[in-house]
Amino acid sequence: MTHTLPPGPTSPSARGAQVLAILVGSVALLMLGLQPLLLGALLEAGQVTLEGVGLVAMGEIVALGLGVLIGDLCLPVRSLRAITTLAALGAATLDLATTRAGGDLTLGLVRAAAGIAEGLMVWSTTAVIVRAAVPERLAGLFFVVQTLAQATTGLVLAHLVLPVAGWPGGFALLAGLCALAALLAARFARPLGPLTPTVSQAGVGMRWTRPRIGTLLLVFLQLATLGAPWAYAEPLGTRAGFSPTAVQTLIAAGLGMQVLGGSVGTWLVRRAPIRPVLLGCCLVLGLSALGIARTAQGGPLAFAALCGLFTFTWLFMLPFQMALAFRVDGSGQVASLVPAAQLFGSAFGPLMASLVVTGEAVAPVPFVAAGFALLAMLALPLTRGAPRQGFSERQFR
């Protein structure tokens, strides 16, 4: 397959577009990694209820996925600069609006609107990635950079911003970063060509085979496994014996483990067999969730270790998901839809978790995650089919 990124996927201007895309996408997904910190701060301030935490998290992530789909299905890549700039400005405005919001419904609506804008920013990043010469490696680099940005911002929030300015300061910081992304996009973004000479947009006219559907279902379920406990990381951590500040630091450290996992996954993605690795990730996530369920009051060390394993696996598996998408569909259309499947899964997990939370009791949440891990294992065989065209099988063993 030939990925088109005029004037060439390895030209200096193309590399510049890739750097910009990674930066824009990393800013767009900051809230995704910082939800436990900021939603936990909102919860402590009484701005949202415990039951509402999952719903607010779900609303923004679903909206993120919708934003990606809107871009994939409806928006022209030749207008990438204008769309990305306006989306980043919209996200900045809505981050500021969040500082004036309160209550489950109001916060949910404002954050859902922000999610649409953030999703369009992610779409612009994905559009560049799937046109790269080695898209799964560029995707792995993006996963690492975005999580490194989340980890750094998380530490700044936990130790500098939240203690001084509270949760409004956190959203004001996000607004400033989105405004910076808008300025960079307005200056440096450029139009893109179609995925192939005959395919202009992801999902349009695509033949939905079992391996293609199975791949997106697998991605959805694996991210649901991750999303359920991540949205409730702070109450789960305090249940295990951590103070709120210690849990915030642990969450930021978990983002650092994601960076390590993503780096290892990016290096291994063309050296290890895809499906066995993804199967192993399902097992690790499911067993880690069950282990977290056993860390009641007085088990902080075990909780910290399991969180480290859980978050390492999170980013480790994402390059393999993208590689699997290119294996089942060499045109890049399925790969373009992978971020939407990831986001919808990340939202569905908190939604299901919120249904089992009663009052302050979050003990059932890890069992929801373990159930999703089992379903992901059952979905993996659906991804098998005829080898994809246009790539050598030696590239993906």
Side-chain angles (χ1 to χ4, degrees):
M1 182 187 74
T2 301
H3 298 279
T4 57
L5 181 56
T10 58
S11 67
S13 60
R15 288 193 291 271
Q18 291 169 1
V19 170
L20 173 64
I22 289 174
L23 291 175
V24 169
S26 297
V27 170
L29 292 175
L30 277 176
M31 183 58 186
L32 193 63
L34 299 175
Q35 275 187 342
L37 284 174
L38 291 175
L39 292 182
L42 285 166
L43 181 62
E44 285 184 25
Q47 298 294 116
V48 66
T49 67
L50 184 61
E51 292 83 357
V53 167
L55 297 176
V56 172
M58 177 205 68
E60 182 163 0
I61 301 171
V62 165
L64 254 161
L66 288 175
V68 175
L69 283 181
I70 289 169
D72 280 336
L73 301 177
C74 304
L75 300 180
V77 290
R78 64 178 178 275
S79 302
L80 194 76
R81 175 181 295 172
I83 294 169
T84 306
T85 302
L86 291 173
L89 287 174
T93 302
L94 289 160
D95 284 336
L96 289 177
T98 303
T99 64
R100 312 290 295 180
D104 293 354
L105 179 60
T106 303
L107 278 169
L109 291 175
V110 172
R111 294 318 303 169
I116 294 287
E118 293 160 351
L120 292 175
M121 294 168 68
V122 173
W123 162 75
S124 71
T125 298
T126 305
V128 172
I129 288 174
V130 298
R131 288 165 173 80
V134 189
E136 63 280 2
R137 283 188 177 168
L138 185 60
L141 178 62
F142 169 52
F143 297 142
V144 170
V145 171
Q146 76 163 56
T147 310
L148 186 59
Q150 291 170 357
T152 303
T153 309
L155 286 171
V156 171
L157 285 174
H159 295 282
L160 298 177
V161 177
L162 294 180
V164 175
W167 64 269
F171 285 102
L173 175 61
L174 292 183
L177 292 172
C178 286
L180 176 61
L183 290 174
L184 292 174
R187 176 66 179 85
F188 298 109
R190 62 189 183 85
L192 298 176
L195 283 169
T196 71
T198 59
V199 179
S200 60
Q201 288 178 298
V204 178
M206 183 169 65
R207 181 168 161 264
W208 288 100
T209 62
R210 187 185 69 178
R212 291 171 177 175
I213 295 172
T215 296
L216 294 176
L217 178 62
L218 172 68
V219 171
F220 172 86
L221 291 170
Q222 284 187 321
L223 269 293
T225 304
L226 295 159
W230 188 244
Y232 288 91
E234 184 160 329
L236 284 170
T238 55
R239 171 180 172 269
F242 284 98
S243 67
T245 301
V247 174
Q248 292 172 355
T249 303
L250 181 63
I251 290 169
L255 292 171
M257 288 298 294
Q258 288 185 41
V259 171
L260 179 60
S263 300
V264 175
T266 300
W267 179 75
L268 279 178
V269 68
R270 292 209 165 201
R271 296 174 172 85
I274 298 172
R275 290 184 180 89
V277 167
L278 290 173
L279 175 61
C281 290
C282 292
L283 284 170
V284 170
L285 292 176
L287 293 174
S288 297
L290 292 176
I292 289 173
R294 297 177 61 87
T295 58
Q297 185 74 27
L301 291 179
F303 181 85
L306 289 167
C307 281
L309 182 60
F310 196 83
T311 51
F312 176 91
T313 307
W314 187 332
L315 229 68
F316 173 82
M317 72 184 182
L318 298 192
F320 288 91
Q321 291 178 347
M322 188 65 75
L324 180 62
F326 273 103
R327 167 168 282 188
V328 301
D329 172 35
S331 74
Q333 288 182 293
V334 171
S336 294
L337 297 174
V338 163
Q342 291 171 337
L343 291 165
F344 286 133
S346 297
F348 192 69
L351 172 62
M352 292 295 102
S354 70
L355 298 179
V356 301
V357 171
T358 304
E360 301 295 320
V362 294
V365 170
F367 293 103
V368 175
F372 280 126
L374 176 60
L375 291 175
M377 291 172 60
L378 297 176
L380 189 58
L382 298 177
T383 66
R384 293 192 175 277
R388 62 194 178 97
Q389 297 178 349
F391 282 91
S392 168
E393 280 297 304
R394 290 182 300 137
Q395 291 177 309
F396 295 94
R397 291 180 292 153

